[in-house]
Amino acid sequence: MIIELSAETTGTRELLCIRFPFNAVLIRQLKTIPGLRWDVSHKCWCTKYTDTVKELLSQFLTYHNYAFYFADKRVAKRKKVMKVLQLALL
């Protein structure tokens, strides 16, 4: 099982989302983390995004021997990257 950590923008909020195939053990472990909750609209576990929270969740998953990767899906970040790529192509 590979877990996806992703930074996402919802309205004006930046969220750190965790997606993975159903795993009862991991769900029990995630429920111990303050501020982390199941988001029905995104169908994943979410919390407010900060670099500190991202690092702590990365350490948590590593400690419990889970494979994971990080995907930055924030709209503003994506637009900035596209602009840089467009300038690079000129």
Side-chain angles (χ1 to χ4, degrees):
M1 169 178 60
I2 298 178
I3 299 167
E4 177 189 83
L5 287 180
S6 62
E8 300 181 20
T9 304
T10 301
T12 58
R13 300 179 337 165
E14 287 192 343
L15 299 175
L16 182 62
C17 300
I18 305 169
R19 290 186 175 83
F20 54 92
F22 181 81
N23 181 311
V25 173
L26 177 55
I27 291 170
R28 268 195 312 276
Q29 292 169 331
L30 290 176
K31 286 181 176 181
T32 66
I33 300 173
L36 195 61
R37 61 178 172 68
W38 175 254
D39 188 306
V40 176
S41 63
H42 287 91
K43 297 182 181 175
C44 63
W45 291 88
C46 294
T47 188
K48 183 179 176 181
Y49 178 87
T50 65
D51 288 332
T52 303
V53 170
K54 176 186 163 190
E55 182 61 31
L56 289 172
L57 276 172
S58 297
Q59 290 174 6
F60 174 87
L61 294 171
T62 300
Y63 175 80
H64 290 287
N65 296 315
Y66 290 111
F68 67 94
Y69 66 95
F70 179 74
D72 196 336
K73 298 178 181 178
R74 292 175 287 184
V75 175
K77 183 79 169 183
R78 216 175 324 160
K79 286 181 181 176
K80 184 177 179 182
V81 169
M82 291 302 292
K83 189 170 188 170
V84 169
L85 288 174
Q86 287 171 347
L87 291 173
L89 294 173
L90 295 177

Coordinates of all heavy atoms in Angstrom, one line a residue:
M1 N 0.8 -1.2 0.0 CA 0.0 0.0 0.0 C 0.9 1.2 0.0 O 1.8 1.4 0.8 CB -0.9 0.0 1.3 CG -1.6 1.3 1.5 SD -2.7 1.4 2.9 CE -1.6 1.1 4.2
I2 N 0.6 2.2 -0.9 CA 1.3 3.4 -0.9 C 0.3 4.5 -0.6 O -0.8 4.6 -1.1 CB 1.9 3.7 -2.3 CG1 2.9 2.6 -2.6 CG2 2.5 5.1 -2.4 CD1 3.5 2.7 -4.0
I3 N 0.7 5.4 0.3 CA -0.1 6.5 0.8 C 0.3 7.8 0.1 O 1.4 8.1 -0.1 CB 0.1 6.7 2.3 CG1 -0.3 5.4 3.0 CG2 -0.7 7.9 2.8 CD1 0.1 5.3 4.4
E4 N -0.8 8.6 -0.3 CA -0.5 9.9 -0.9 C -0.8 11.0 0.1 O -1.8 11.1 0.7 CB -1.4 10.1 -2.1 CG -1.2 11.5 -2.7 CD -2.3 11.9 -3.8 OE1 -3.4 12.3 -3.4 OE2 -2.0 11.7 -4.9
L5 N 0.3 11.8 0.4 CA 0.1 13.1 1.1 C 0.0 14.2 0.1 O 0.9 14.2 -0.8 CB 1.3 13.3 2.0 CG 1.5 12.5 3.2 CD1 2.8 13.0 4.0 CD2 0.4 12.6 4.2
S6 N -1.0 15.0 0.1 CA -1.1 16.1 -0.9 C -1.5 17.4 -0.2 O -2.3 17.4 0.7 CB -2.1 15.7 -2.0 OG -3.4 15.5 -1.5
A7 N -0.9 18.5 -0.7 CA -1.3 19.8 -0.3 C -2.3 20.3 -1.3 O -2.1 20.2 -2.5 CB -0.1 20.7 -0.3
E8 N -3.5 20.7 -0.8 CA -4.6 21.1 -1.7 C -5.2 22.4 -1.3 O -5.2 22.7 -0.1 CB -5.7 20.0 -1.8 CG -5.1 18.7 -2.3 CD -6.1 17.6 -2.4 OE1 -7.3 17.8 -2.4 OE2 -5.7 16.4 -2.4
T9 N -5.8 23.1 -2.2 CA -6.5 24.4 -1.9 C -8.0 24.2 -2.0 O -8.4 23.6 -3.0 CB -6.1 25.5 -2.9 OG1 -4.6 25.6 -2.9 CG2 -6.7 26.8 -2.5
T10 N -8.7 24.6 -1.0 CA -10.1 24.5 -0.9 C -10.6 25.9 -0.6 O -10.5 26.3 0.6 CB -10.6 23.4 0.1 OG1 -10.1 22.2 -0.3 CG2 -12.1 23.4 0.1
G11 N -11.1 26.6 -1.5 CA -11.5 28.0 -1.2 C -10.3 28.8 -0.9 O -9.4 28.9 -1.6
T12 N -10.3 29.3 0.4 CA -9.1 30.1 0.8 C -8.2 29.2 1.8 O -7.2 29.7 2.3 CB -9.6 31.3 1.6 OG1 -10.4 30.9 2.7 CG2 -10.3 32.3 0.7
R13 N -8.6 28.0 2.0 CA -7.9 27.1 3.0 C -6.9 26.2 2.2 O -7.2 25.7 1.1 CB -8.8 26.2 3.8 CG -9.8 27.0 4.6 CD -10.8 26.1 5.4 NE -10.9 24.8 4.7 CZ -11.4 23.7 5.3 NH1 -11.9 23.8 6.5 NH2 -11.5 22.6 4.7
E14 N -5.8 26.0 2.8 CA -4.8 25.0 2.3 C -4.9 23.8 3.2 O -4.8 23.9 4.5 CB -3.4 25.6 2.3 CG -3.3 26.6 1.2 CD -1.8 27.0 0.9 OE1 -0.9 26.7 1.8 OE2 -1.5 27.5 -0.1
L15 N -5.1 22.6 2.7 CA -5.2 21.4 3.4 C -4.1 20.4 3.1 O -3.6 20.4 2.0 CB -6.6 20.7 3.1 CG -7.8 21.5 3.3 CD1 -9.0 20.7 2.8 CD2 -8.0 21.7 4.8
L16 N -3.8 19.6 4.1 CA -2.9 18.5 3.8 C -3.8 17.3 3.9 O -4.4 17.0 4.9 CB -1.8 18.4 4.9 CG -0.8 17.3 4.8 CD1 0.0 17.4 3.4 CD2 0.2 17.2 5.9
C17 N -3.9 16.6 2.8 CA -4.8 15.4 2.6 C -4.0 14.1 2.6 O -2.9 14.1 2.0 CB -5.6 15.6 1.4 SG -6.6 17.1 1.4
I18 N -4.6 13.1 3.1 CA -4.0 11.7 3.1 C -5.0 10.8 2.5 O -6.1 10.6 2.9 CB -3.7 11.3 4.6 CG1 -2.9 12.3 5.3 CG2 -3.0 9.9 4.6 CD1 -2.8 12.1 6.8
R19 N -4.5 10.1 1.4 CA -5.3 9.2 0.7 C -4.6 7.8 0.6 O -3.4 7.7 0.4 CB -5.6 9.7 -0.8 CG -6.5 10.9 -0.8 CD -6.8 11.2 -2.3 NE -7.8 12.3 -2.3 CZ -7.5 13.6 -2.2 NH1 -6.2 14.0 -2.1 NH2 -8.4 14.5 -2.2
F20 N -5.4 6.8 0.8 CA -4.9 5.4 0.8 C -6.1 4.4 0.6 O -7.2 4.8 1.0 CB -4.1 5.1 2.1 CG -4.9 5.4 3.3 CD1 -5.6 4.4 3.9 CD2 -4.9 6.7 3.9 CE1 -6.3 4.6 5.1 CE2 -5.6 6.9 5.1 CZ -6.3 5.9 5.7
P21 N -5.8 3.2 0.2 CA -6.8 2.2 0.1 C -7.3 1.9 1.6 O -6.5 2.0 2.5 CB -6.2 1.0 -0.5 CG -4.9 1.5 -1.1 CD -4.6 2.7 -0.4
F22 N -8.5 1.5 1.8 CA -9.0 1.2 3.1 C -8.0 0.3 3.9 O -7.6 -0.7 3.4 CB -10.4 0.6 3.1 CG -10.9 0.3 4.5 CD1 -11.5 1.3 5.2 CD2 -10.8 -0.9 5.0 CE1 -12.0 1.1 6.5 CE2 -11.3 -1.2 6.3 CZ -11.9 -0.2 7.0
N23 N -7.7 0.8 5.1 CA -6.8 0.0 6.0 C -7.3 0.4 7.4 O -7.0 1.5 7.9 CB -5.4 0.4 5.8 CG -4.4 -0.4 6.6 OD1 -4.6 -0.4 7.8 ND2 -3.4 -0.9 6.0
A24 N -7.9 -0.6 8.1 CA -8.5 -0.3 9.5 C -7.4 0.1 10.5 O -7.6 0.9 11.3 CB -9.3 -1.5 9.9
V25 N -6.2 -0.6 10.4 CA -5.1 -0.3 11.3 C -4.6 1.1 11.1 O -4.5 1.9 12.1 CB -4.0 -1.3 11.1 CG1 -2.8 -0.9 11.9 CG2 -4.5 -2.7 11.4
L26 N -4.4 1.5 9.9 CA -3.9 2.9 9.6 C -5.0 3.9 10.1 O -4.6 5.0 10.7 CB -3.6 3.1 8.2 CG -3.2 4.5 7.7 CD1 -2.0 5.0 8.6 CD2 -2.8 4.5 6.2
I27 N -6.3 3.6 9.8 CA -7.3 4.6 10.3 C -7.3 4.7 11.8 O -7.4 5.9 12.3 CB -8.7 4.1 9.8 CG1 -8.8 4.2 8.3 CG2 -9.8 4.9 10.5 CD1 -10.0 3.6 7.6
R28 N -7.1 3.6 12.5 CA -7.0 3.7 14.0 C -5.8 4.6 14.4 O -5.9 5.4 15.3 CB -6.9 2.3 14.6 CG -8.2 1.7 15.0 CD -8.1 0.5 15.9 NE -7.1 -0.5 15.5 CZ -7.3 -1.4 14.6 NH1 -8.5 -1.6 14.1 NH2 -6.4 -2.3 14.3
Q29 N -4.7 4.4 13.7 CA -3.5 5.2 14.0 C -3.7 6.7 13.7 O -3.3 7.5 14.5 CB -2.3 4.6 13.3 CG -1.9 3.3 13.7 CD -0.9 2.6 12.8 OE1 -0.9 2.9 11.6 NE2 -0.1 1.7 13.4
L30 N -4.4 7.0 12.6 CA -4.6 8.4 12.2 C -5.5 9.1 13.2 O -5.4 10.3 13.4 CB -5.1 8.5 10.8 CG -4.2 8.1 9.6 CD1 -4.9 8.1 8.3 CD2 -2.9 9.0 9.6
K31 N -6.5 8.4 13.7 CA -7.4 8.9 14.7 C -6.8 9.4 15.9 O -7.3 10.2 16.7 CB -8.5 7.9 15.0 CG -9.5 7.7 13.9 CD -10.6 6.8 14.3 CE -11.7 6.6 13.2 NZ -12.7 5.7 13.6
T32 N -5.5 9.0 16.2 CA -4.8 9.5 17.4 C -4.1 10.9 17.2 O -3.6 11.5 18.1 CB -3.7 8.5 17.8 OG1 -2.7 8.4 16.8 CG2 -4.3 7.1 18.0
I33 N -4.1 11.3 15.9 CA -3.5 12.6 15.6 C -4.5 13.8 15.8 O -5.5 13.8 15.1 CB -2.9 12.6 14.1 CG1 -1.9 11.5 14.0 CG2 -2.3 13.9 13.8 CD1 -1.4 11.2 12.6
P34 N -4.2 14.7 16.7 CA -5.1 15.9 16.9 C -5.2 16.7 15.6 O -4.2 16.9 14.9 CB -4.4 16.7 18.0 CG -3.4 15.7 18.6 CD -3.0 14.7 17.6
G35 N -6.4 17.1 15.3 CA -6.7 18.0 14.2 C -6.9 17.3 12.8 O -7.3 17.9 11.9
L36 N -6.7 16.0 12.8 CA -6.9 15.2 11.6 C -8.3 14.7 11.6 O -8.7 14.2 12.6 CB -5.9 14.1 11.5 CG -5.7 13.4 10.2 CD1 -5.2 14.3 9.1 CD2 -4.7 12.2 10.3
R37 N -9.0 14.9 10.5 CA -10.4 14.4 10.4 C -10.7 13.9 9.0 O -10.0 14.2 8.0 CB -11.3 15.6 10.8 CG -11.2 16.7 9.8 CD -12.2 17.8 10.1 NE -11.9 19.0 9.3 CZ -12.1 19.1 8.0 NH1 -12.5 18.1 7.3 NH2 -11.8 20.2 7.3
W38 N -11.7 13.1 9.0 CA -12.2 12.5 7.7 C -13.0 13.6 7.0 O -13.9 14.3 7.6 CB -13.1 11.3 7.9 CG -13.8 10.8 6.6 CD1 -15.1 11.0 6.3 CD2 -13.1 10.1 5.6 NE1 -15.3 10.4 5.0 CE2 -14.1 9.9 4.6 CE3 -11.8 9.7 5.4 CZ2 -13.8 9.2 3.4 CZ3 -11.5 9.0 4.2 CH2 -12.5 8.8 3.2
D39 N -12.7 14.0 5.7 CA -13.4 15.0 5.0 C -14.3 14.3 3.9 O -13.8 13.7 3.0 CB -12.4 15.9 4.3 CG -13.0 17.1 3.6 OD1 -13.9 16.9 2.8 OD2 -12.6 18.2 3.9
V40 N -15.6 14.4 4.1 CA -16.5 13.7 3.3 C -16.4 14.2 1.8 O -16.5 13.4 0.9 CB -18.0 13.9 3.8 CG1 -19.0 13.2 2.9 CG2 -18.1 13.3 5.2
S41 N -16.3 15.5 1.6 CA -16.3 16.0 0.3 C -15.0 15.6 -0.5 O -15.1 15.4 -1.7 CB -16.4 17.5 0.3 OG -15.3 18.1 0.9
H42 N -13.9 15.5 0.2 CA -12.7 15.1 -0.5 C -12.5 13.6 -0.4 O -11.6 13.0 -1.1 CB -11.4 15.8 0.1 CG -11.3 17.2 -0.2 ND1 -11.9 18.2 0.5 CD2 -10.7 17.8 -1.3 CE1 -11.6 19.3 0.0 NE2 -11.0 19.2 -1.1
K43 N -13.2 12.9 0.4 CA -13.1 11.5 0.7 C -11.7 11.1 1.0 O -11.1 10.2 0.5 CB -13.6 10.7 -0.6 CG -15.0 10.9 -0.8 CD -15.5 10.0 -2.0 CE -17.0 10.3 -2.2 NZ -17.5 9.7 -3.4
C44 N -11.1 11.8 2.0 CA -9.8 11.5 2.5 C -9.7 12.1 3.9 O -10.5 12.9 4.4 CB -8.7 12.1 1.6 SG -8.8 13.9 1.4
W45 N -8.5 11.9 4.6 CA -8.2 12.4 5.9 C -7.5 13.8 5.6 O -6.6 13.8 4.8 CB -7.3 11.5 6.7 CG -8.1 10.3 7.1 CD1 -8.3 9.1 6.4 CD2 -8.9 10.1 8.3 NE1 -9.1 8.2 7.0 CE2 -9.4 8.8 8.2 CE3 -9.1 10.9 9.4 CZ2 -10.2 8.3 9.3 CZ3 -9.9 10.4 10.4 CH2 -10.4 9.1 10.3
C46 N -7.9 14.8 6.3 CA -7.4 16.1 6.1 C -7.1 16.9 7.4 O -7.7 16.6 8.4 CB -8.4 17.0 5.3 SG -8.7 16.5 3.6
T47 N -6.2 17.8 7.3 CA -5.9 18.8 8.4 C -5.3 20.0 7.7 O -5.1 20.1 6.5 CB -4.8 18.2 9.3 OG1 -4.7 19.0 10.5 CG2 -3.4 18.0 8.7
K48 N -5.2 21.1 8.5 CA -4.7 22.4 8.0 C -3.2 22.1 7.5 O -2.5 21.5 8.2 CB -4.7 23.4 9.0 CG -4.3 24.8 8.6 CD -4.4 25.8 9.7 CE -3.8 27.1 9.3 NZ -3.9 28.1 10.3
Y49 N -2.9 22.7 6.3 CA -1.5 22.5 5.8 C -0.6 23.5 6.4 O -0.8 24.7 6.4 CB -1.5 22.7 4.3 CG -0.1 22.5 3.7 CD1 0.4 21.3 3.4 CD2 0.7 23.6 3.6 CE1 1.7 21.1 2.9 CE2 2.0 23.5 3.2 CZ 2.5 22.2 2.8 OH 3.8 22.1 2.4
T50 N 0.5 23.0 6.9 CA 1.7 23.7 7.3 C 2.9 22.8 7.0 O 2.8 21.6 7.0 CB 1.7 24.2 8.8 OG1 1.9 23.0 9.6 CG2 0.5 25.0 9.2
D51 N 4.1 23.4 6.8 CA 5.3 22.6 6.6 C 5.5 21.7 7.8 O 6.0 20.6 7.7 CB 6.5 23.5 6.3 CG 6.4 24.1 4.9 OD1 5.8 23.5 4.0 OD2 6.9 25.2 4.7
T52 N 5.2 22.2 9.0 CA 5.5 21.4 10.3 C 4.6 20.2 10.3 O 5.0 19.1 10.6 CB 5.2 22.3 11.5 OG1 6.0 23.5 11.4 CG2 5.5 21.6 12.8
V53 N 3.3 20.4 10.0 CA 2.3 19.3 10.0 C 2.7 18.3 8.9 O 2.7 17.0 9.1 CB 0.9 19.8 9.7 CG1 -0.1 18.6 9.5 CG2 0.4 20.6 10.9
K54 N 3.2 18.7 7.7 CA 3.6 17.8 6.7 C 4.8 17.0 7.2 O 4.9 15.8 7.0 CB 4.0 18.6 5.4 CG 4.6 17.8 4.3 CD 5.1 18.7 3.2 CE 6.1 18.0 2.3 NZ 6.8 18.8 1.4
E55 N 5.7 17.6 7.8 CA 6.9 16.9 8.4 C 6.5 15.9 9.5 O 7.0 14.8 9.5 CB 7.9 17.9 8.9 CG 9.2 17.3 9.4 CD 10.0 16.5 8.4 OE1 9.9 16.9 7.2 OE2 10.6 15.5 8.8
L56 N 5.6 16.3 10.4 CA 5.2 15.4 11.4 C 4.5 14.2 10.9 O 4.7 13.1 11.3 CB 4.3 16.2 12.4 CG 5.0 17.2 13.3 CD1 4.0 18.0 14.1 CD2 6.0 16.5 14.2
L57 N 3.6 14.4 9.9 CA 2.9 13.3 9.3 C 3.9 12.4 8.5 O 3.7 11.1 8.5 CB 1.8 13.8 8.3 CG 0.5 14.1 9.0 CD1 -0.5 14.7 8.0 CD2 -0.1 12.8 9.6
S58 N 4.9 13.0 7.9 CA 5.9 12.2 7.2 C 6.6 11.3 8.2 O 6.9 10.1 7.9 CB 6.9 13.1 6.5 OG 6.2 13.8 5.4
Q59 N 7.0 11.9 9.3 CA 7.7 11.1 10.4 C 6.8 10.0 10.9 O 7.3 8.9 11.2 CB 8.2 12.1 11.5 CG 9.3 13.0 11.1 CD 9.6 14.0 12.2 OE1 9.1 14.0 13.3 NE2 10.5 14.9 11.8
F60 N 5.5 10.3 11.2 CA 4.6 9.4 11.7 C 4.5 8.2 10.7 O 4.5 7.0 11.2 CB 3.2 10.1 11.8 CG 2.1 9.1 12.2 CD1 1.8 8.9 13.5 CD2 1.3 8.6 11.3 CE1 0.8 8.0 13.9 CE2 0.2 7.7 11.6 CZ 0.0 7.5 12.9
L61 N 4.3 8.4 9.4 CA 4.2 7.3 8.4 C 5.5 6.5 8.3 O 5.4 5.3 8.2 CB 3.8 7.9 7.1 CG 2.4 8.5 7.1 CD1 2.1 9.3 5.7 CD2 1.3 7.5 7.3
T62 N 6.6 7.2 8.4 CA 7.9 6.5 8.3 C 8.1 5.6 9.6 O 8.5 4.5 9.5 CB 9.0 7.5 8.3 OG1 8.9 8.3 7.1 CG2 10.4 6.8 8.2
Y63 N 7.7 6.1 10.7 CA 7.8 5.4 12.0 C 7.0 4.1 11.9 O 7.4 3.1 12.4 CB 7.4 6.3 13.2 CG 7.4 5.5 14.5 CD1 8.6 5.3 15.2 CD2 6.2 5.0 15.0 CE1 8.6 4.6 16.4 CE2 6.2 4.3 16.2 CZ 7.4 4.1 16.9 OH 7.4 3.5 18.1
H64 N 5.8 4.2 11.3 CA 4.9 3.0 11.2 C 5.2 2.2 10.0 O 4.4 1.3 9.6 CB 3.5 3.5 11.3 CG 3.1 4.0 12.7 ND1 2.9 3.1 13.7 CD2 2.9 5.2 13.1 CE1 2.6 3.8 14.8 NE2 2.6 5.1 14.5
N65 N 6.3 2.5 9.3 CA 6.7 1.7 8.1 C 5.7 1.7 6.9 O 5.6 0.7 6.2 CB 7.1 0.3 8.5 CG 8.2 0.2 9.4 OD1 9.2 0.9 9.2 ND2 8.1 -0.6 10.4
Y66 N 5.1 2.9 6.7 CA 4.2 3.1 5.5 C 5.0 3.7 4.4 O 5.7 4.7 4.6 CB 3.0 3.9 5.9 CG 2.0 3.2 6.8 CD1 1.9 3.6 8.1 CD2 1.3 2.1 6.3 CE1 1.0 3.0 8.9 CE2 0.4 1.5 7.2 CZ 0.2 1.9 8.5 OH -0.6 1.3 9.3
A67 N 4.8 3.3 3.2 CA 5.4 3.9 2.0 C 4.4 5.1 1.6 O 3.2 4.9 1.6 CB 5.5 2.9 0.8
F68 N 5.0 6.2 1.3 CA 4.2 7.4 0.9 C 4.9 8.3 0.0 O 6.2 8.2 -0.2 CB 3.7 8.1 2.2 CG 4.8 8.8 2.9 CD1 5.2 10.1 2.6 CD2 5.6 8.1 3.9 CE1 6.2 10.8 3.3 CE2 6.6 8.7 4.5 CZ 6.9 10.1 4.3
Y69 N 4.2 9.2 -0.7 CA 4.8 10.2 -1.5 C 4.0 11.5 -1.3 O 2.9 11.5 -0.8 CB 4.8 9.8 -3.0 CG 3.5 9.7 -3.6 CD1 2.9 10.8 -4.3 CD2 2.7 8.5 -3.5 CE1 1.7 10.7 -4.9 CE2 1.5 8.4 -4.1 CZ 1.0 9.5 -4.8 OH -0.2 9.4 -5.4
F70 N 4.6 12.6 -1.7 CA 3.9 13.9 -1.5 C 3.6 14.5 -2.9 O 4.4 14.5 -3.8 CB 4.8 14.9 -0.7 CG 4.2 16.3 -0.5 CD1 3.2 16.4 0.4 CD2 4.7 17.3 -1.3 CE1 2.6 17.7 0.5 CE2 4.1 18.6 -1.1 CZ 3.1 18.7 -0.2
A71 N 2.4 15.0 -3.0 CA 1.9 15.7 -4.3 C 1.4 17.1 -3.9 O 0.6 17.2 -3.0 CB 0.8 14.9 -4.9
D72 N 1.9 18.1 -4.6 CA 1.5 19.5 -4.3 C 0.4 19.8 -5.3 O 0.7 20.0 -6.5 CB 2.7 20.4 -4.4 CG 2.3 21.8 -3.7 OD1 1.1 22.1 -3.7 OD2 3.2 22.5 -3.3
K73 N -0.8 19.9 -4.9 CA -2.0 20.1 -5.8 C -2.6 21.5 -5.5 O -3.7 21.8 -6.0 CB -3.0 19.0 -5.6 CG -2.5 17.7 -5.9 CD -3.6 16.6 -5.7 CE -3.1 15.2 -6.0 NZ -4.2 14.2 -5.7
R74 N -1.9 22.4 -4.8 CA -2.4 23.7 -4.5 C -2.5 24.5 -5.8 O -1.6 24.5 -6.6 CB -1.6 24.4 -3.5 CG -1.6 23.8 -2.1 CD -0.7 24.4 -1.2 NE 0.7 24.0 -1.5 CZ 1.7 24.4 -0.8 NH1 1.6 25.1 0.2 NH2 2.9 24.0 -1.2
V75 N -3.7 25.2 -6.0 CA -3.9 25.9 -7.2 C -2.9 27.0 -7.5 O -2.3 27.1 -8.5 CB -5.4 26.5 -7.2 CG1 -5.6 27.4 -8.4 CG2 -6.4 25.4 -7.2
A76 N -2.7 27.8 -6.4 CA -1.7 28.9 -6.6 C -0.3 28.4 -6.9 O 0.4 29.0 -7.7 CB -1.7 29.8 -5.3
K77 N 0.1 27.3 -6.3 CA 1.4 26.7 -6.5 C 1.5 26.3 -8.0 O 2.4 26.5 -8.7 CB 1.6 25.6 -5.6 CG 3.0 24.9 -5.7 CD 4.0 25.7 -4.9 CE 5.3 25.0 -4.8 NZ 6.3 25.7 -4.1
R78 N 0.4 25.6 -8.5 CA 0.4 25.1 -9.8 C 0.5 26.2 -10.8 O 1.2 26.1 -11.8 CB -0.9 24.3 -10.0 CG -0.7 23.1 -10.9 CD -2.0 22.3 -11.0 NE -2.7 22.3 -9.8 CZ -4.0 21.9 -9.7 NH1 -4.7 21.6 -10.8 NH2 -4.6 21.9 -8.6
K79 N -0.3 27.3 -10.6 CA -0.2 28.5 -11.5 C 1.2 29.1 -11.6 O 1.7 29.4 -12.6 CB -1.2 29.5 -11.1 CG -2.7 29.1 -11.4 CD -3.6 30.2 -11.0 CE -5.0 29.8 -11.2 NZ -6.0 30.8 -10.7
K80 N 1.8 29.2 -10.4 CA 3.2 29.7 -10.3 C 4.2 28.8 -11.1 O 5.0 29.3 -11.9 CB 3.6 29.8 -8.9 CG 5.0 30.5 -8.7 CD 5.3 30.7 -7.2 CE 6.7 31.3 -7.0 NZ 7.0 31.4 -5.6
V81 N 4.1 27.5 -11.0 CA 4.9 26.6 -11.7 C 4.7 26.7 -13.2 O 5.7 26.8 -13.9 CB 4.7 25.2 -11.2 CG1 5.4 24.2 -12.1 CG2 5.2 25.0 -9.8
M82 N 3.4 26.8 -13.6 CA 3.1 26.9 -15.0 C 3.7 28.2 -15.6 O 4.2 28.2 -16.7 CB 1.6 26.9 -15.2 CG 1.0 25.5 -15.0 SD 1.7 24.2 -16.0 CE 1.1 24.7 -17.6
K83 N 3.6 29.3 -14.8 CA 4.2 30.6 -15.3 C 5.7 30.5 -15.4 O 6.3 31.0 -16.4 CB 3.8 31.7 -14.3 CG 4.1 33.1 -14.8 CD 3.5 34.2 -13.9 CE 3.7 35.5 -14.5 NZ 3.0 36.5 -13.9
V84 N 6.4 29.9 -14.5 CA 7.8 29.7 -14.6 C 8.2 28.8 -15.8 O 9.1 29.2 -16.5 CB 8.4 29.0 -13.3 CG1 9.8 28.6 -13.5 CG2 8.2 30.0 -12.1
L85 N 7.4 27.8 -16.1 CA 7.6 27.0 -17.2 C 7.4 27.7 -18.5 O 8.2 27.6 -19.5 CB 6.7 25.7 -17.2 CG 7.1 24.7 -16.1 CD1 6.0 23.6 -16.1 CD2 8.4 24.1 -16.4
Q86 N 6.4 28.6 -18.6 CA 6.1 29.4 -19.7 C 7.3 30.3 -20.0 O 7.7 30.5 -21.1 CB 4.8 30.1 -19.6 CG 3.6 29.3 -19.7 CD 2.3 30.0 -19.4 OE1 2.4 31.1 -18.8 NE2 1.2 29.4 -19.7
L87 N 7.8 31.0 -18.9 CA 8.9 31.9 -19.1 C 10.2 31.2 -19.5 O 11.0 31.7 -20.3 CB 9.2 32.6 -17.8 CG 8.1 33.6 -17.3 CD1 8.4 34.2 -15.9 CD2 8.0 34.8 -18.3
A88 N 10.4 30.0 -19.1 CA 11.5 29.2 -19.4 C 11.5 28.8 -20.9 O 12.6 28.6 -21.5 CB 11.6 27.9 -18.5
L89 N 10.3 28.7 -21.4 CA 10.2 28.2 -22.8 C 10.4 29.4 -23.8 O 10.6 29.2 -25.0 CB 8.8 27.6 -23.1 CG 8.6 26.3 -22.4 CD1 7.2 25.8 -22.6 CD2 9.6 25.2 -22.9
L90 N 10.3 30.7 -23.3 CA 10.5 31.8 -24.2 C 11.9 32.0 -24.6 O 12.9 31.7 -24.3 CB 10.0 33.1 -23.5 CG 8.5 33.1 -23.2 CD1 8.1 34.4 -22.4 CD2 7.7 33.1 -24.4

